[in-house]
Structures are given as C-alpha cells and as structure tokens.
Amino acid sequence: MRISVLGLGYIGLPTALLFASAGYNVVGVDVNDKKVKLLNDGKLPFQEPGLEELFEKAKQNFKATTEVEESDVFLIAVPTPLDEKTKAADLRYVRSASEMIVPHLRKENLVILESTVPPKTTERLLIPILEKSGLKAGKDFHVVHCPERAIPGKTIHEMIYNDRIIGGITKESAELAKELYSSFVKGNIYITDATTAEFVKLIENTYRDVNIALVNELAQIAEEYGINIWEAIELANRHPRVNLHKPGPGVGGHCIAIDPWFLIQDSSNGKMIALARHVNDTMPNYTLRRVREMLKGVDYPTITVFGVAYKGNVDDARETPALRFIRLAKNDGFKVKVYDPFVNEFEYPILGLEEAVRDSDCIVVITDHDVFRFLDPDDIGKLMRNRCVFDARNVLDHEKWRRAGFKVRVLGDGKENL
Ligand code: SAJ
C-alpha cells in the first residue's frame, strides 16, 4: 500500500517516517526541491528529538519527490498560516495540495487532511476540489480530517502516544483511517465527523491561549497589589479543580497564537477569545515597560535578550513574542543584542554569549531554555556595564544572580510600585 504525504514540514515529515517505519511504502511530496534533494541524500531539513533514529529506520520505505503520483492514501500536512490583514486562515497551500491530488485520485482512495483549518474547510474547500476528478466523496473515495496534536520538542513521542481524533465524512472513511493510524499510534483513536474534528483541534489551542491570557492578566493585577504571582499561582493550584498556566512575555509558535483566529473568523461570537489574543499579544509591551522602569537613570541603555525561540528548548522562532519585544525596545532607543543557543535563523543577528552580554546593562530572559539555569552570573556580570536581569519566565536561580551582584526582577514579582 502506498501513502503519499504532501508537505514535509514539522508534522508531515515525522508522520511520513512513522508510516514508513510501520512498513508502508511512503512517498513524501514537497514543492521545495532543495528539501527533496536533501532527504533523498539521507539528510534531515530540521532537528527534532528522535527524528534521526526514525529516519534511519524508515529510509528503505521512504522517498521524497516534488510530484504527486498515484497512491492508495493521500495525506495533506501543509502549513495554514494566518493572514495578518484579515485575521483569517490563508488556505492557499491546502488548496494547491488538494489540486495536485485531483489528477491522481482513484476509486477507493483515502484522502486525509492533517493541517489545522477553520471549521467546515473539509466540507467546503477540500471535497469540492477533489470532486473535480469526477469521483464522488463518500461514495467513490474516502475523506477524513485527522488533526495533528504533537508538541514541538516532543513531536515523535506525542505522535505515537497521544490520543487522536479522526473526523470522517462517512463512518467508513473514519474506520479506514483509524486502521491506518493504528499502525503506529499507541494512544486511543476516537472517531467523529470532519467538522467536529476541525473544531476540536481549534478549541484545544484556544483553551490554552485563553488560560495563558488569564494568568498574564493576573500577573499584572498582582503587581498592582505588590504581590508575587508565582507564589499566588502555586498556592491556588493546590485547589483540586484549579490549574493556572504560567505567565510570560507572550505567546508564540505556529499554533496557539493563530488557531483561535481560525475558530472565530466566521463567527459573530468569540469576544473573549479575541480579547485573550490581545492580552497575550501585548505582553511584550508590558515586559518592556518593566525593563524600562528597571533601567531608569541609565543613559543609552543596552539590553541583551536571552532566548528568541517561541518557547524553551526548541530552535523554532515562529511568531515569537521576542520579535515584538525587540522592535518595541529599539523604537524606544534601546540598543538590543540577542543570544539564543538553539536558534540559527532570526530577523536580528544571534551573537555568542560573551559578545551578547559585553557592556550590556540588562539581560532580559524571554525564552525558558533550561540551559539558562546553568549560566554563571559571576562570569557574565564581569562583562556587563550594569548588573541587571529581568526574568520574564521565572527560570533563573535568582538568589545565585543576586549573590553575584545583580539587581533581579521577575515578571509578576509584585515589585512594580516599590
Ligand atoms: N506558554 C506560556 N505559558 C504557559 C504555557 C505556554 O506563556 O503556561 C507559551 C509558550 O512559551 C509558547 C506558547 O505559549 O510561546 C505556546 O507553547 P505551547 O508549549 O503551549 O504549545 P505549542 O504551540 O508548542 O503546541 C501546541 C500544543 N497544543 C496544546 O497543548 C493544546 C500541541 O499539542 C499542538 O499540537 C500544537 O500546538 C499545534 O500544532 O497545534
């Protein structure tokens, strides 16, 4: 049985390799010919824990190409970015991937959409395109929406062990896809209809976004009262039905900062969801206000941003709140230097640690990379002009930094009015 996976990105590639390692004959299709060549030369286009070992195991059943060929199964895992102007999904890649399938679609084929999409996309966009083949969805061929649920940094583990939702346009479509995914998924697989599956995916990430917005707002309220939000959250979470998230300098990544817009783009409701987006999007502004206050009296301040990845321990800087923070800081006249031991590509140069902290007045921790905990504040302090650190993630060992002569402030530490 041949499976064609369209889109060899963070989700498509590991999925293709998991099917290949389960014994299927997998063709990975991508419009980027450099990526295709790289893969056929046995190299990976990005890093993810466990991906290399998986590639080794799957290689013999996998090939990459730029053209779609006849298959039994077509799986679409292309990006669905947010169109910033309209705050709606940009579905051009889903459209073009579906169109690429049309000439090769045969009776009894199964088409799987994994990309995150607004509710009704399977029904209103995907199926009409596929039916240009002259075949009828649900009768001649099968269609399901099976949203990915894996978290970057643990993608492969979560693809295997997380529960999955499969939304079929018919029960038969869903059952067929369930059998296929059972070849590598060890979590439970639940079956529903395609629109419900689209909706479920979006509400998972909206749940997280709204909860993060809540603690981000609580952090600001706590500061008005002069109390520490981190202590307050820890105590509140002792309640059996409370599970507050962590405040921070904002929300990034290609999912949580985007999916809530897909949910409300075609709805006249969703006021709280839009408000939560606003709260999270403006956390870099709040972070900067706190840094500015810390550096009062310092002429021509230089700050060093620690971490531009959208979250800890990954090399991914998509939609990172660090970008907004840096732009705002520059507009404010700050000189900004950047250090991130994981990220290679970014809008601003990424410096080595020493160069990044030399003559700086303040370190601003934007990303919770674990390695930041092991830095030596004595060594760093010697290179700086002023010893200040603002920890927007509450990840450093603050006592250690204080002992090294640093003035330390933490987002939500209640020190705003002191
Ligand atoms: N963040 C906070 N406070 C928190 C938790 C996260 O500020 O308490 C920030 C992170 O620093 C980051 C952003 O939120 O900037 C998102 O990070 P994340 O780790 O919560 O999630 P993602 O975007 O890496 O992956 C999410 C996951 N969804 C859920 O946990 C509901 C993942 O399972 C999905 O597969 C993925 O979105 C996706 O592709 O949709």
Side-chain angles (χ1 to χ4, degrees), residues 84-97:
E84 278 298 336
K85 286 203 189 98
T86 57
K87 295 286 184 213
D90 175 354
L91 295 175
R92 79 179 78 170
Y93 306 112
V94 172
R95 185 176 292 130
S96 65

Side-chain angles (χ1 to χ4, degrees), residues 11 116 147-153 158 162 201 203-209 211-213 215-216 244-257 259 280 309-312 314 316 318-321 366-368 393:
I11 298 300
T116 305
E148 56 83 10
R149 284 179 137 180
I151 199 149
E158 292 210 345
N162 284 2
K201 163 72 192 191
I203 63 173
E204 289 166 6
N205 283 347
T206 302
Y207 163 87
R208 208 152 159 85
D209 196 41
N211 274 286
I212 296 168
V215 283
N216 279 336
L244 290 159
H245 287 52
K246 291 190 200 123
V251 166
H254 54 301
C255 309
I256 293 190
D259 294 1
N280 287 336
Y310 83 88
K311 66 173 183 179
V314 301
D316 190 341
R318 284 178 293 173
E319 313 293 325
T320 175
I366 296 286
T367 307
D368 43 352
R393 294 282 186 181

Side-chain angles (χ1 to χ4, degrees), residues 223-416:
E223 284 189 339
E224 288 170 358
Y225 285 113
I227 62 156
N228 186 310
I229 191 66
W230 301 93
E231 184 194 351
I233 288 174
E234 216 179 295
L235 293 172
N237 282 350
R238 302 277 160 166
H239 185 288
R241 283 175 297 283
V242 174
N243 182 17
L244 290 159
H245 287 52
K246 291 190 200 123
V251 166
H254 54 301
C255 309
I256 293 190
I258 290 177
D259 294 1
W261 293 118
F262 292 8
L263 189 61
I264 61 176
Q265 68 177 51
D266 195 22
S267 163
S268 44
N269 292 297
K271 291 184 190 65
M272 188 178 76
I273 293 169
L275 190 61
R277 282 277 67 251
H278 175 75
V279 170
N280 287 336
D281 276 350
T282 52
M283 284 312 286
N285 309 49
Y286 180 71
T287 307
L288 182 63
R289 281 206 295 283
R290 295 260 357 236
V291 170
R292 197 188 295 135
E293 178 193 289
M294 215 178 156
L295 290 173
K296 229 180 250 162
V298 176
D299 290 333
Y300 308 108
T302 297
I303 57 174
T304 305
V305 169
F306 268 25
V308 291
Y310 83 88
K311 66 173 183 179
N313 309 318
V314 301
D315 64 359
D316 190 341
R318 284 178 293 173
E319 313 293 325
T320 175
L323 187 61
R324 185 176 169 105
F325 175 81
I326 294 169
R327 292 223 172 109
L328 291 169
K330 280 180 171 277
N331 289 348
D332 237 14
F334 286 84
K335 182 173 174 197
V336 183
K337 301 206 273 182
V338 175
Y339 171 63
D340 191 305
F342 289 87
V343 176
N344 301 315
E345 272 171 53
F346 190 59
E347 278 80 350
Y348 297 97
I350 310 265
L351 308 173
L353 178 59
E354 283 190 14
E355 201 187 336
V357 298
R358 185 165 293 122
D359 299 326
S360 176
D361 296 296
C362 184
I363 290 167
V364 184
V365 180
I366 296 286
T367 307
D368 43 352
H369 290 315
D370 287 339
V371 288
F372 291 158
R373 285 182 233 270
F374 307 110
L375 292 172
D376 185 340
D378 283 308
D379 289 350
I380 290 175
K382 280 179 203 142
L383 297 167
M384 292 177 66
R385 184 167 73 152
N386 278 295
R387 294 187 186 200
C388 293
V389 59
F390 184 79
D391 185 354
R393 294 282 186 181
N394 195 21
V395 284
L396 300 179
D397 176 348
H398 301 134
E399 274 323 301
K400 189 166 92 176
W401 287 74
R402 285 198 179 99
R403 279 198 304 274
F406 275 81
K407 180 172 157 192
V408 180
R409 289 284 179 273
V410 184
L411 186 136
D413 63 5
K415 300 277 166 53
E416 189 170 42

Side-chain angles (χ1 to χ4, degrees), residues 47-264:
Q47 293 189 348
E48 177 65 33
L51 192 60
E52 254 178 59
E53 294 87 322
L54 179 65
F55 193 27
E56 264 320 305
K57 226 173 105 191
K59 249 180 200 165
Q60 64 194 56
N61 292 338
F62 174 81
K63 72 164 185 184
T65 159
T66 52
E67 303 289 334
V68 177
E69 33 191 273
E70 267 192 37
S71 289
D72 302 288
V73 178
F74 297 95
L75 189 155
I76 302 172
V78 294
T80 47
L82 179 73
D83 174 4
E84 278 298 336
K85 286 203 189 98
T86 57
K87 295 286 184 213
D90 175 354
L91 295 175
R92 79 179 78 170
Y93 306 112
V94 172
R95 185 176 292 130
S96 65
S98 319
E99 279 163 358
M100 281 167 82
I101 295 172
V102 174
H104 307 282
L105 195 65
R106 301 286 173 263
K107 278 197 167 182
E108 301 308 323
N109 279 177
L110 166 66
V111 180
I112 303 169
L113 178 63
E114 275 216 17
S115 309
T116 305
V117 290
K120 297 277 180 204
T121 300
T122 305
E123 196 180 302
R124 292 180 185 159
L125 182 79
L126 178 64
I127 291 178
I129 294 176
L130 296 174
E131 288 188 339
K132 285 185 194 160
S133 61
L135 300 173
K136 195 100 195 86
K139 188 167 147 275
D140 298 321
F141 65 95
H142 306 279
V143 181
V144 299
H145 176 55
C146 179
E148 56 83 10
R149 284 179 137 180
I151 199 149
K154 271 174 83 182
T155 300
I156 293 162
H157 176 88
E158 292 210 345
M159 277 181 174
I160 298 171
Y161 292 100
N162 284 2
D163 290 351
R164 283 201 88 127
I165 312 294
I166 295 181
I169 57 158
T170 58
K171 186 136 195 305
E172 211 190 333
S173 296
E175 290 291 353
L176 208 65
K178 182 175 175 177
E179 203 185 311
L180 195 73
Y181 278 96
S182 304
S183 63
F184 70 84
V185 172
K186 296 202 167 80
N188 299 318
I189 301 180
Y190 299 95
I191 280 178
T192 181
D193 61 88
T195 308
T196 304
E198 292 166 339
F199 189 83
V200 167
K201 163 72 192 191
L202 298 176
I203 63 173
E204 289 166 6
N205 283 347
T206 302
Y207 163 87
R208 208 152 159 85
D209 196 41
V210 171
N211 274 286
I212 296 168
L214 173 65
V215 283
N216 279 336
E217 188 163 286
L218 292 177
Q220 297 174 59
I221 297 173
E223 284 189 339
E224 288 170 358
Y225 285 113
I227 62 156
N228 186 310
I229 191 66
W230 301 93
E231 184 194 351
I233 288 174
E234 216 179 295
L235 293 172
N237 282 350
R238 302 277 160 166
H239 185 288
R241 283 175 297 283
V242 174
N243 182 17
L244 290 159
H245 287 52
K246 291 190 200 123
V251 166
H254 54 301
C255 309
I256 293 190
I258 290 177
D259 294 1
W261 293 118
F262 292 8
L263 189 61
I264 61 176

